[in-house]
mmCIF file with all atom_site columns, all heavy atoms in Angstrom:
data_model
loop_
_atom_site.group_PDB
_atom_site.id
_atom_site.type_symbol
_atom_site.label_atom_id
_atom_site.label_alt_id
_atom_site.label_comp_id
_atom_site.label_asym_id
_atom_site.label_entity_id
_atom_site.label_seq_id
_atom_site.pdbx_PDB_ins_code
_atom_site.Cartn_x
_atom_site.Cartn_y
_atom_site.Cartn_z
_atom_site.occupancy
_atom_site.B_iso_or_equiv
_atom_site.pdbx_formal_charge
_atom_site.auth_seq_id
_atom_site.auth_comp_id
_atom_site.auth_asym_id
_atom_site.auth_atom_id
_atom_site.pdbx_PDB_model_num
ATOM 1   N N   . CYS A 1 92  ? 27.452 -69.279 -19.703 1.00 0.00 ? 92  CYS A N   1
ATOM 2   C CA  . CYS A 1 92  ? 26.565 -70.231 -19.001 1.00 0.00 ? 92  CYS A CA  1
ATOM 3   C C   . CYS A 1 92  ? 25.711 -71.009 -19.990 1.00 0.00 ? 92  CYS A C   1
ATOM 4   O O   . CYS A 1 92  ? 25.559 -72.234 -19.923 1.00 0.00 ? 92  CYS A O   1
ATOM 5   C CB  . CYS A 1 92  ? 25.739 -69.580 -17.963 1.00 0.00 ? 92  CYS A CB  1
ATOM 6   S SG  . CYS A 1 92  ? 26.595 -69.065 -16.501 1.00 0.00 ? 92  CYS A SG  1
ATOM 7   N N   . VAL A 1 95  ? 27.861 -73.582 -21.967 1.00 0.00 ? 95  VAL A N   1
ATOM 8   C CA  . VAL A 1 95  ? 28.216 -74.786 -21.220 1.00 0.00 ? 95  VAL A CA  1
ATOM 9   C C   . VAL A 1 95  ? 26.977 -75.645 -20.941 1.00 0.00 ? 95  VAL A C   1
ATOM 10  O O   . VAL A 1 95  ? 27.066 -76.833 -21.062 1.00 0.00 ? 95  VAL A O   1
ATOM 11  C CB  . VAL A 1 95  ? 28.881 -74.348 -19.898 1.00 0.00 ? 95  VAL A CB  1
ATOM 12  C CG1 . VAL A 1 95  ? 29.140 -75.574 -19.022 1.00 0.00 ? 95  VAL A CG1 1
ATOM 13  C CG2 . VAL A 1 95  ? 30.259 -73.644 -20.180 1.00 0.00 ? 95  VAL A CG2 1
ATOM 14  N N   . SER A 1 96  ? 25.865 -74.997 -20.653 1.00 0.00 ? 96  SER A N   1
ATOM 15  C CA  . SER A 1 96  ? 24.661 -75.793 -20.366 1.00 0.00 ? 96  SER A CA  1
ATOM 16  C C   . SER A 1 96  ? 24.168 -76.528 -21.569 1.00 0.00 ? 96  SER A C   1
ATOM 17  O O   . SER A 1 96  ? 23.585 -77.620 -21.487 1.00 0.00 ? 96  SER A O   1
ATOM 18  C CB  . SER A 1 96  ? 23.559 -74.923 -19.761 1.00 0.00 ? 96  SER A CB  1
ATOM 19  O OG  . SER A 1 96  ? 23.080 -73.982 -20.739 1.00 0.00 ? 96  SER A OG  1
ATOM 20  N N   . GLY A 1 99  ? 26.820 -79.719 -21.912 1.00 0.00 ? 99  GLY A N   1
ATOM 21  C CA  . GLY A 1 99  ? 27.181 -80.577 -20.808 1.00 0.00 ? 99  GLY A CA  1
ATOM 22  C C   . GLY A 1 99  ? 28.594 -80.188 -20.301 1.00 0.00 ? 99  GLY A C   1
ATOM 23  O O   . GLY A 1 99  ? 28.848 -79.046 -19.993 1.00 0.00 ? 99  GLY A O   1
ATOM 24  N N   . LEU A 1 127 ? 32.270 -67.410 -12.487 1.00 0.00 ? 127 LEU A N   1
ATOM 25  C CA  . LEU A 1 127 ? 30.908 -68.163 -12.560 1.00 0.00 ? 127 LEU A CA  1
ATOM 26  C C   . LEU A 1 127 ? 30.947 -69.404 -11.637 1.00 0.00 ? 127 LEU A C   1
ATOM 27  O O   . LEU A 1 127 ? 29.924 -69.785 -11.109 1.00 0.00 ? 127 LEU A O   1
ATOM 28  C CB  . LEU A 1 127 ? 30.655 -68.552 -14.029 1.00 0.00 ? 127 LEU A CB  1
ATOM 29  C CG  . LEU A 1 127 ? 30.386 -67.365 -14.953 1.00 0.00 ? 127 LEU A CG  1
ATOM 30  C CD1 . LEU A 1 127 ? 30.396 -67.845 -16.438 1.00 0.00 ? 127 LEU A CD1 1
ATOM 31  C CD2 . LEU A 1 127 ? 29.033 -66.709 -14.567 1.00 0.00 ? 127 LEU A CD2 1
ATOM 32  N N   . LYS A 1 128 ? 32.093 -70.039 -11.513 1.00 0.00 ? 128 LYS A N   1
ATOM 33  C CA  . LYS A 1 128 ? 32.201 -71.177 -10.656 1.00 0.00 ? 128 LYS A CA  1
ATOM 34  C C   . LYS A 1 128 ? 31.982 -70.725 -9.208  1.00 0.00 ? 128 LYS A C   1
ATOM 35  O O   . LYS A 1 128 ? 31.241 -71.350 -8.392  1.00 0.00 ? 128 LYS A O   1
ATOM 36  C CB  . LYS A 1 128 ? 33.576 -71.858 -10.788 1.00 0.00 ? 128 LYS A CB  1
ATOM 37  C CG  . LYS A 1 128 ? 33.753 -73.065 -9.937  1.00 0.00 ? 128 LYS A CG  1
ATOM 38  C CD  . LYS A 1 128 ? 35.117 -73.637 -10.159 1.00 0.00 ? 128 LYS A CD  1
ATOM 39  C CE  . LYS A 1 128 ? 35.474 -74.671 -9.150  1.00 0.00 ? 128 LYS A CE  1
ATOM 40  N NZ  . LYS A 1 128 ? 36.852 -75.114 -9.289  1.00 0.00 ? 128 LYS A NZ  1
ATOM 41  N N   . GLN A 1 130 ? 30.320 -68.195 -8.213  1.00 0.00 ? 130 GLN A N   1
ATOM 42  C CA  . GLN A 1 130 ? 28.922 -67.778 -8.043  1.00 0.00 ? 130 GLN A CA  1
ATOM 43  C C   . GLN A 1 130 ? 27.984 -68.945 -8.040  1.00 0.00 ? 130 GLN A C   1
ATOM 44  O O   . GLN A 1 130 ? 26.819 -68.833 -7.735  1.00 0.00 ? 130 GLN A O   1
ATOM 45  C CB  . GLN A 1 130 ? 28.528 -66.810 -9.258  1.00 0.00 ? 130 GLN A CB  1
ATOM 46  C CG  . GLN A 1 130 ? 29.256 -65.540 -9.263  1.00 0.00 ? 130 GLN A CG  1
ATOM 47  C CD  . GLN A 1 130 ? 28.930 -64.686 -8.037  1.00 0.00 ? 130 GLN A CD  1
ATOM 48  O OE1 . GLN A 1 130 ? 27.752 -64.517 -7.709  1.00 0.00 ? 130 GLN A OE1 1
ATOM 49  N NE2 . GLN A 1 130 ? 29.973 -64.133 -7.391  1.00 0.00 ? 130 GLN A NE2 1
ATOM 50  N N   . GLY A 1 131 ? 28.502 -70.171 -8.279  1.00 0.00 ? 131 GLY A N   1
ATOM 51  C CA  . GLY A 1 131 ? 27.643 -71.350 -8.234  1.00 0.00 ? 131 GLY A CA  1
ATOM 52  C C   . GLY A 1 131 ? 26.887 -71.604 -9.526  1.00 0.00 ? 131 GLY A C   1
ATOM 53  O O   . GLY A 1 131 ? 25.977 -72.448 -9.550  1.00 0.00 ? 131 GLY A O   1
ATOM 54  N N   . LYS A 1 132 ? 27.188 -70.852 -10.584 1.00 0.00 ? 132 LYS A N   1
ATOM 55  C CA  . LYS A 1 132 ? 26.528 -71.047 -11.860 1.00 0.00 ? 132 LYS A CA  1
ATOM 56  C C   . LYS A 1 132 ? 27.132 -72.115 -12.679 1.00 0.00 ? 132 LYS A C   1
ATOM 57  O O   . LYS A 1 132 ? 26.485 -72.745 -13.535 1.00 0.00 ? 132 LYS A O   1
ATOM 58  C CB  . LYS A 1 132 ? 26.522 -69.750 -12.652 1.00 0.00 ? 132 LYS A CB  1
ATOM 59  C CG  . LYS A 1 132 ? 25.686 -68.642 -11.951 1.00 0.00 ? 132 LYS A CG  1
ATOM 60  C CD  . LYS A 1 132 ? 25.682 -67.368 -12.641 1.00 0.00 ? 132 LYS A CD  1
ATOM 61  C CE  . LYS A 1 132 ? 24.913 -66.256 -11.892 1.00 0.00 ? 132 LYS A CE  1
ATOM 62  N NZ  . LYS A 1 132 ? 24.905 -65.022 -12.523 1.00 0.00 ? 132 LYS A NZ  1
ATOM 63  N N   . LEU A 1 133 ? 28.413 -72.346 -12.498 1.00 0.00 ? 133 LEU A N   1
ATOM 64  C CA  . LEU A 1 133 ? 29.124 -73.459 -13.178 1.00 0.00 ? 133 LEU A CA  1
ATOM 65  C C   . LEU A 1 133 ? 29.807 -74.294 -12.097 1.00 0.00 ? 133 LEU A C   1
ATOM 66  O O   . LEU A 1 133 ? 30.065 -73.902 -10.972 1.00 0.00 ? 133 LEU A O   1
ATOM 67  C CB  . LEU A 1 133 ? 30.227 -72.912 -14.117 1.00 0.00 ? 133 LEU A CB  1
ATOM 68  C CG  . LEU A 1 133 ? 29.740 -72.122 -15.366 1.00 0.00 ? 133 LEU A CG  1
ATOM 69  C CD1 . LEU A 1 133 ? 30.963 -71.735 -16.196 1.00 0.00 ? 133 LEU A CD1 1
ATOM 70  C CD2 . LEU A 1 133 ? 28.779 -72.893 -16.170 1.00 0.00 ? 133 LEU A CD2 1
ATOM 71  N N   . ASP A 1 134 ? 30.072 -75.573 -12.539 1.00 0.00 ? 134 ASP A N   1
ATOM 72  C CA  . ASP A 1 134 ? 30.753 -76.499 -11.680 1.00 0.00 ? 134 ASP A CA  1
ATOM 73  C C   . ASP A 1 134 ? 31.969 -77.036 -12.440 1.00 0.00 ? 134 ASP A C   1
ATOM 74  O O   . ASP A 1 134 ? 31.978 -77.069 -13.640 1.00 0.00 ? 134 ASP A O   1
ATOM 75  C CB  . ASP A 1 134 ? 29.818 -77.632 -11.336 1.00 0.00 ? 134 ASP A CB  1
ATOM 76  C CG  . ASP A 1 134 ? 30.386 -78.642 -10.375 1.00 0.00 ? 134 ASP A CG  1
ATOM 77  O OD1 . ASP A 1 134 ? 31.160 -78.197 -9.514  1.00 0.00 ? 134 ASP A OD1 1
ATOM 78  O OD2 . ASP A 1 134 ? 30.071 -79.815 -10.470 1.00 0.00 ? 134 ASP A OD2 1
ATOM 79  N N   . SER A 1 135 ? 33.024 -77.402 -11.689 1.00 0.00 ? 135 SER A N   1
ATOM 80  C CA  . SER A 1 135 ? 34.200 -77.934 -12.357 1.00 0.00 ? 135 SER A CA  1
ATOM 81  C C   . SER A 1 135 ? 34.485 -79.257 -11.739 1.00 0.00 ? 135 SER A C   1
ATOM 82  O O   . SER A 1 135 ? 35.085 -79.415 -10.667 1.00 0.00 ? 135 SER A O   1
ATOM 83  C CB  . SER A 1 135 ? 35.396 -77.000 -12.104 1.00 0.00 ? 135 SER A CB  1
ATOM 84  O OG  . SER A 1 135 ? 36.561 -77.510 -12.699 1.00 0.00 ? 135 SER A OG  1
ATOM 85  N N   . TYR A 1 141 ? 34.408 -77.734 -17.289 1.00 0.00 ? 141 TYR A N   1
ATOM 86  C CA  . TYR A 1 141 ? 33.283 -77.061 -16.674 1.00 0.00 ? 141 TYR A CA  1
ATOM 87  C C   . TYR A 1 141 ? 31.992 -77.660 -17.128 1.00 0.00 ? 141 TYR A C   1
ATOM 88  O O   . TYR A 1 141 ? 31.923 -78.222 -18.202 1.00 0.00 ? 141 TYR A O   1
ATOM 89  C CB  . TYR A 1 141 ? 33.325 -75.535 -16.993 1.00 0.00 ? 141 TYR A CB  1
ATOM 90  C CG  . TYR A 1 141 ? 34.460 -74.800 -16.341 1.00 0.00 ? 141 TYR A CG  1
ATOM 91  C CD1 . TYR A 1 141 ? 35.664 -74.717 -16.990 1.00 0.00 ? 141 TYR A CD1 1
ATOM 92  C CD2 . TYR A 1 141 ? 34.315 -74.248 -15.072 1.00 0.00 ? 141 TYR A CD2 1
ATOM 93  C CE1 . TYR A 1 141 ? 36.719 -74.062 -16.370 1.00 0.00 ? 141 TYR A CE1 1
ATOM 94  C CE2 . TYR A 1 141 ? 35.384 -73.578 -14.469 1.00 0.00 ? 141 TYR A CE2 1
ATOM 95  C CZ  . TYR A 1 141 ? 36.552 -73.502 -15.135 1.00 0.00 ? 141 TYR A CZ  1
ATOM 96  O OH  . TYR A 1 141 ? 37.618 -72.873 -14.563 1.00 0.00 ? 141 TYR A OH  1
ATOM 97  N N   . ARG A 1 142 ? 30.946 -77.577 -16.261 1.00 0.00 ? 142 ARG A N   1
ATOM 98  C CA  . ARG A 1 142 ? 29.596 -77.997 -16.592 1.00 0.00 ? 142 ARG A CA  1
ATOM 99  C C   . ARG A 1 142 ? 28.621 -77.060 -15.858 1.00 0.00 ? 142 ARG A C   1
ATOM 100 O O   . ARG A 1 142 ? 29.008 -76.403 -14.879 1.00 0.00 ? 142 ARG A O   1
ATOM 101 C CB  . ARG A 1 142 ? 29.343 -79.436 -16.221 1.00 0.00 ? 142 ARG A CB  1
ATOM 102 C CG  . ARG A 1 142 ? 29.424 -79.702 -14.767 1.00 0.00 ? 142 ARG A CG  1
ATOM 103 C CD  . ARG A 1 142 ? 29.200 -81.175 -14.480 1.00 0.00 ? 142 ARG A CD  1
ATOM 104 N NE  . ARG A 1 142 ? 29.401 -81.412 -13.037 1.00 0.00 ? 142 ARG A NE  1
ATOM 105 C CZ  . ARG A 1 142 ? 29.739 -82.531 -12.489 1.00 0.00 ? 142 ARG A CZ  1
ATOM 106 N NH1 . ARG A 1 142 ? 29.903 -83.573 -13.294 1.00 0.00 ? 142 ARG A NH1 1
ATOM 107 N NH2 . ARG A 1 142 ? 29.937 -82.635 -11.210 1.00 0.00 ? 142 ARG A NH2 1
ATOM 108 N N   . ALA A 1 143 ? 27.415 -77.026 -16.300 1.00 0.00 ? 143 ALA A N   1
ATOM 109 C CA  . ALA A 1 143 ? 26.392 -76.240 -15.621 1.00 0.00 ? 143 ALA A CA  1
ATOM 110 C C   . ALA A 1 143 ? 26.097 -76.748 -14.269 1.00 0.00 ? 143 ALA A C   1
ATOM 111 O O   . ALA A 1 143 ? 26.076 -77.962 -14.044 1.00 0.00 ? 143 ALA A O   1
ATOM 112 C CB  . ALA A 1 143 ? 25.114 -76.240 -16.453 1.00 0.00 ? 143 ALA A CB  1
ATOM 113 N N   . ALA A 1 144 ? 25.971 -75.886 -13.310 1.00 0.00 ? 144 ALA A N   1
ATOM 114 C CA  . ALA A 1 144 ? 25.694 -76.340 -11.906 1.00 0.00 ? 144 ALA A CA  1
ATOM 115 C C   . ALA A 1 144 ? 24.290 -76.775 -11.728 1.00 0.00 ? 144 ALA A C   1
ATOM 116 O O   . ALA A 1 144 ? 23.415 -76.316 -12.385 1.00 0.00 ? 144 ALA A O   1
ATOM 117 C CB  . ALA A 1 144 ? 26.040 -75.181 -10.964 1.00 0.00 ? 144 ALA A CB  1
#
Side-chain angles (χ1 to χ4, degrees):
C92 285
V95 174
S96 67
L127 292 169
K128 181 179 168 187
Q130 294 296 311
K132 295 178 181 178
L133 294 181
D134 184 33
S135 180
Y141 291 89
R142 65 180 174 206

